[in-house]
Amino acid sequence: MNLEGIEKSRLFQGMTAKELSSCLDFLDAKEKRFRKDDVILHAGEQTSKIGMVLSGSVTVESNDIWGNRTVLSHVGKNQFFAETYALLGEVLLVDVRANEESRILFCNIKNLLEDSKKSSPWKENLLKNILIISSQKNLVLSGRSFYTSSKSCRGRLLSYLNAVALQTDSREFDIPFNRQQLADYLNLERTNMSKELSRMKDEGLIEYRKNHFRLLKADEPER
C-alpha cells in the first residue's frame, strides 16, 4: 500500500510517523482501486468506513428511482467522504462514484467509538480532525444550498462562479465539474445552462474553455 504523503492529509494531521502507523493499524486501513464510473458506495447500504481519495476523484450524488441525478459534491485528492454515515451508522442516501481511475483508502472509524482502552494523543488528534472535516463538509453543503437558491439559471451560475473566485482568491480558475456535472450540481438543465453560459460570454461577463473560467469586470476586455 503506497501511502506517500498521507501524513499531510487533514485526517492524520498532527501525528508522528509512529502514531500514524498505530492509527492505520487500529483503523484497519485498506486501499482499493476503482475505474471511472464505478460506484464505490451505494445508496441504501451502510458503512463503518470513511473513504480518503489517494489519487483521482469521486462525486457524491443523489440518484432517484426515476433516473434523476443531483451532484452534491466533488471529492478530490486527500479529501474524504462518508464520515458522517460511518460514525452514525445511518443508511446511505447517496451514491459515491469514481470520477476517474481512483485509489481510495478506507478506514474503519467505528473502531474509534467502540474502543474502550485508555486514550492516546493520536486518538485525540483523530477525533479533532474528523470534527474539522465534518465542519468543512457542512460549509460545502450549505454553499450548494446558497448557489441553488436563485430561481434563474444565470443567478445560480453567477453565485457559484463568484464563490469559486472568492475561495481561490482569483478571477481565473478551474472548476472540478464537467458540463453535465455542473448542471446536476446546480440543478439545471444542461442545454439551457450551456446557452446561458454562451450568453454570459457574449455579454462580456465571463470567458471559459471546458472547465477553465475567467470572470471579467465591466471595463475589462476579453482575451
Side-chain angles (χ1 to χ4, degrees):
M1 182 165 59
N2 180 14
L3 298 179
E4 182 179 354
I6 192 175
E7 72 281 353
K8 298 176 183 177
S9 72
R10 176 72 263 182
L11 187 62
F12 304 110
Q13 200 167 72
M15 297 185 192
T16 65
K18 184 177 180 180
E19 288 173 338
L20 177 58
S21 179
S22 298
C23 179
L24 292 174
D25 287 342
F26 178 82
L27 297 176
D28 192 25
K30 296 266 189 322
E31 178 188 328
K32 291 187 178 180
R33 295 174 180 267
F34 296 89
R35 294 171 297 181
K36 181 179 181 180
D37 291 329
D38 281 351
V39 178
I40 299 168
L41 294 175
H42 293 262
E45 298 178 342
Q46 288 180 296
T47 184
S48 61
K49 298 175 181 178
I50 182 174
M52 174 184 173
V53 180
L54 297 176
S55 66
S57 62
V58 308
T59 53
V60 179
E61 53 192 51
S62 171
N63 297 286
D64 64 29
I65 60 175
W66 299 280
N68 300 307
R69 182 177 78 151
T70 301
V71 173
L72 300 174
S73 64
H74 174 277
V75 185
K77 184 177 179 181
N78 290 336
Q79 295 180 327
F80 304 87
F81 58 88
E83 66 283 346
T84 302
Y85 290 105
L87 283 169
L88 298 179
E90 296 289 329
V91 171
L92 286 159
L93 301 179
V94 297
D95 293 318
V96 180
R97 188 184 304 274
N99 205 39
E100 56 193 302
E101 286 194 6
S102 302
R103 293 166 47 236
I104 309 297
L105 181 70
F106 290 100
C107 298
N108 192 341
I109 57 174
K110 204 73 172 179
N111 289 351
L112 190 64
L113 301 181
E114 296 172 351
D115 182 56
S116 59
K117 296 179 181 179
K118 184 178 179 181
S119 181
S120 60
W122 69 259
K123 288 181 184 177
E124 294 174 7
N125 264 332
L126 187 62
L127 285 169
K128 179 186 71 174
N129 293 339
I130 290 172
L131 177 60
I132 291 172
I133 289 169
S134 296
S135 299
Q136 290 171 335
K137 287 292 185 70
N138 285 337
L139 280 177
V140 170
L141 290 174
S142 62
R144 183 179 178 277
S145 298
F146 178 71
Y147 310 146
T148 57
S149 62
S150 174
K151 293 183 179 179
S152 73
C153 179
R154 176 170 296 200
R156 295 185 184 192
L157 286 166
L158 288 174
S159 178
Y160 173 68
L161 294 173
N162 182 69
V164 177
L166 291 172
Q167 291 163 356
T168 59
D169 193 25
S170 173
R171 288 190 289 115
E172 189 164 354
F173 49 79
D174 292 331
I175 64 171
F177 303 121
N178 61 33
R179 285 291 179 274
Q180 185 60 59
Q181 290 171 335
L182 180 60
D184 292 337
Y185 183 65
L186 296 177
N187 276 351
L188 296 171
E189 198 278 321
R190 178 178 174 174
T191 301
N192 290 339
M193 185 194 73
S194 295
K195 289 179 179 177
E196 190 59 47
L197 284 171
S198 294
R199 283 192 286 265
M200 291 164 64
K201 184 177 182 180
D202 291 341
E203 293 173 22
L205 296 175
I206 60 174
E207 283 185 333
Y208 63 87
R209 184 177 183 277
K210 294 184 177 179
N211 69 330
H212 186 80
F213 284 79
R214 179 168 172 251
L215 310 189
L216 303 173
K217 292 182 178 180
D219 57 348
E220 184 177 4
E222 296 184 26
R223 291 177 179 173

